[in-house]
Amino acid sequence: MAGELSAQEGDPVVMKINGKDVHRSEFEYNYNKNNGDNVVDKKTVDEYAELFVNYKLKVEAALDARYDTLSSFKKEFKSYRDQQIRPYFVTPEAEEREIRAYYDRMKAAVGTDGLVFPAHIMVSVQQKDGEDVQAKAKERIDSIYAALQGGADFAALAKQCSDDRGTASRGGDVGWVMRGQTLKEFEEKAFALQKGETSEPFISPMGYHIIYMKDRKQLESYEELRPQLAKFLERRGLKEHIASVAIDSLAKASDGMLTADDVIDRKTAELCAKDENLKYLVQEYHDGLLLYEISQREVWDKAARDTAGLERYFKAHKSDYKWDAPRYKGVVYHCKDKALQKQVRKLLKSLDEDLWIDSLRATFNQDSVRQIRVEKNLFKKGDNAYVDYLVFKVKEEPKPMKLYPFTAVYGKKLKKPKEWTDVRGEVVSDYQAACEAEFVQKLRDTYKVEIYEEVLNTVNKH
């Protein structure tokens, strides 16, 4: 026993599940995470130990079923692992190099001409427009220019007259631009202006423009721009890019011995060996995916599809299912004319309940003109105004539907559930819980479980 309890120095084995050691540190990690201050239903160590055993047993069963080899499992686990591990490939030095390199490229692009901040007024015209349209546009831009020469406010005229509505709302402001970012004709005029100057009207492929130069400047220093550049590049995936470059470099340096995934696998193992919390976090997600997979396949979906089992369960526990008020199980139907009401009712009487909706639609709504509108449900008071009035005897009569003014109901009023489908959600949930308990018991019978109480008693006390 002493050897079993001290497989790791200072971290004894608290239990064995299917012959596999679970160390106290792993149990403590999970116990403390699931019993924090924000947890309402806190468990004692002994209570949690039983839940933890069940969890581990399901993981063992999932591994035996090879669910960890499923492509869907591998893809999702890889995505989570990468999310946790890739940031460790990012160093401050690499970030600084990328930001500096971006600044240097920007500085080279800006060049000695620097940046300009133009505002403009545009009168839209295109080469394909007729001579009369072009003439009117020229006349309009000239009149705007004359107003500016006479002392009119540029921003006010831009808001009122410019066809570039994107900049017009800002008084014509284009924002800071460098060479290569605008139309050639616009650029030539803009960079020829000094601060405070206004251009004469000129034409580009977009139409006629007048530019007012609001400001000019050289690019700020790296130190001034760095905070903005860092935020900008972060939004564009700076860290992801750095991580990808680092991982690909390590893979290439291995001369084909390692793939990018292999590099991340090695990093994961290296980090988890140093960081216990990270180790158990990665394992928690790995095991959690397996738990979900086996629960979905062996319990939840299987139970939800087992209609015979659901029916048996309901009959065996019928007294557990009650309503606080009666329900109406049936249909409410709205007809275009009164004669249809009797036809609908006659058809419903001749059919099983499962066939009601399809048969009604096939019989009365074959053509493009719909003769009836119908809704089938288990109605409680307040669900449907027509059912409330016709069945539950609410005094206020609802207004008839405009195109389907004749309304009736067909079905029966129930004081309590008669079939499992009347309380489908509750029965499915309860049946799934019963199936899970049976599944867990089967696992307990299949796999050996050993709990070392003397170690369990030291949890969070060492």
Side-chain angles (χ1 to χ4, degrees), residues 95-158:
E95 282 192 79
E96 191 65 26
R97 282 196 302 272
E98 289 291 332
I99 300 170
R100 169 65 77 170
Y102 185 85
Y103 174 82
D104 290 343
R105 291 193 298 272
M106 187 168 63
K107 186 175 181 180
V110 168
T112 57
D113 286 335
L115 298 151
V116 294
F117 194 121
H120 83 136
I121 296 172
M122 184 183 81
V123 174
S124 180
V125 66
Q126 298 180 19
Q127 290 181 350
K128 66 180 181 179
D129 292 335
E131 290 184 6
D132 58 333
V133 175
Q134 294 191 32
K136 286 180 181 178
K138 181 67 167 66
E139 182 181 338
R140 186 174 161 211
I141 198 72
D142 286 343
S143 68
I144 294 171
Y145 184 67
L148 290 170
Q149 293 296 95
D153 182 71
F154 192 96
L157 276 180

Side-chain angles (χ1 to χ4, degrees), residues 143-421:
S143 68
I144 294 171
Y145 184 67
L148 290 170
Q149 293 296 95
D153 182 71
F154 192 96
L157 276 180
K159 289 180 180 179
Q160 180 181 349
C161 303
S162 181
D163 290 337
D164 181 359
R165 302 318 299 171
T167 61
S169 62
R170 303 191 298 268
D173 285 0
V174 174
W176 288 105
V177 294
M178 63 184 183
R179 285 195 179 275
Q181 288 188 312
T182 66
L183 294 167
K184 180 181 178 182
E185 296 81 0
F186 190 96
E187 180 182 295
E188 287 178 356
K189 291 290 184 181
F191 278 89
L193 296 172
Q194 296 303 313
K195 181 177 178 180
E197 291 183 341
T198 301
S199 75
E200 294 182 354
F202 66 93
I203 194 166
S204 82
M206 299 298 294
Y208 286 100
H209 307 261
I210 300 170
I211 295 176
Y212 170 66
M213 184 52 59
K214 299 189 73 172
D215 204 357
R216 298 187 66 134
K217 67 177 181 179
Q218 291 299 316
L219 186 66
E220 293 88 345
S221 69
Y222 175 70
E223 289 70 26
E224 290 176 272
L225 285 183
R226 190 194 180 287
Q228 294 171 243
L229 295 179
K231 289 179 181 178
F232 171 72
L233 292 173
E234 180 61 31
R235 289 195 297 270
R236 296 183 63 182
L238 172 64
K239 287 184 170 62
E240 276 297 304
H241 169 71
I242 293 172
S244 294
V245 170
I247 292 165
D248 290 343
S249 296
L250 289 169
K252 288 177 183 177
S254 71
D255 293 327
M257 298 294 291
L258 299 175
T259 65
D261 271 350
D262 294 332
V263 172
I264 301 175
D265 279 339
R266 286 193 172 189
K267 190 70 169 179
T268 304
E270 172 193 326
L271 292 168
C272 288
K274 298 175 182 177
D275 186 341
E276 198 171 73
N277 284 334
L278 178 63
K279 169 187 173 183
Y280 291 136
L281 181 65
V282 173
Q283 182 179 325
E284 179 186 5
Y285 199 82
H286 176 276
D287 291 354
L289 285 174
L290 290 176
L291 175 69
Y292 177 83
E293 193 70 44
I294 197 166
S295 297
Q296 189 80 8
R297 289 168 177 257
E298 300 297 331
V299 179
W300 301 333
D301 282 355
K302 188 180 288 186
R305 292 194 302 265
D306 184 9
T307 54
L310 288 162
E311 187 171 357
R312 286 194 303 272
Y313 186 86
F314 173 73
K315 288 179 178 178
H317 303 84
K318 203 169 185 178
S319 60
D320 294 340
Y321 300 100
K322 297 174 183 177
W323 291 322
D324 57 356
R327 303 288 194 269
Y328 185 74
K329 188 178 184 181
V331 294
V332 53
Y333 52 97
H334 312 274
C335 307
K336 279 189 172 293
D337 61 69
K338 193 169 181 65
L340 283 170
Q341 287 183 319
K342 290 184 178 180
Q343 296 177 44
V344 171
R345 189 175 185 85
K346 183 178 180 181
L347 179 61
L348 289 171
K349 283 184 176 180
S350 67
L351 296 171
D352 289 336
E353 184 182 327
D354 293 341
L355 302 175
W356 283 357
I357 297 298
D358 289 341
S359 297
L360 287 174
R361 287 172 178 164
T363 304
F364 298 102
N365 291 339
Q366 287 182 332
D367 302 325
S368 57
V369 179
R370 297 168 62 186
Q371 298 296 313
I372 66 170
R373 288 189 63 178
V374 60
E375 180 184 355
K376 178 176 180 285
N377 209 335
L378 185 68
F379 301 94
K380 65 178 183 295
K381 189 175 179 179
D383 284 348
N384 185 288
Y386 299 97
V387 174
D388 287 353
Y389 178 72
L390 295 170
V391 177
F392 296 119
K393 306 306 178 185
V394 172
K395 291 183 180 180
E396 185 177 351
E397 182 177 3
K399 292 181 180 180
M401 296 186 72
K402 187 174 181 180
L403 298 178
Y404 306 90
F406 302 98
T407 298
V409 294
Y410 182 82
K412 51 190 174 183
K413 194 174 181 180
L414 303 176
K415 291 184 177 180
K416 59 183 180 180
K418 296 293 184 183
E419 301 173 6
W420 76 268
T421 51

Side-chain angles (χ1 to χ4, degrees), residues 30 51-59 284 287-288 291:
N30 285 273
L51 298 175
F52 187 75
V53 167
N54 294 344
Y55 165 66
K56 281 294 189 179
L57 287 172
K58 291 174 189 175
V59 172
E284 179 186 5
D287 291 354
L291 175 69

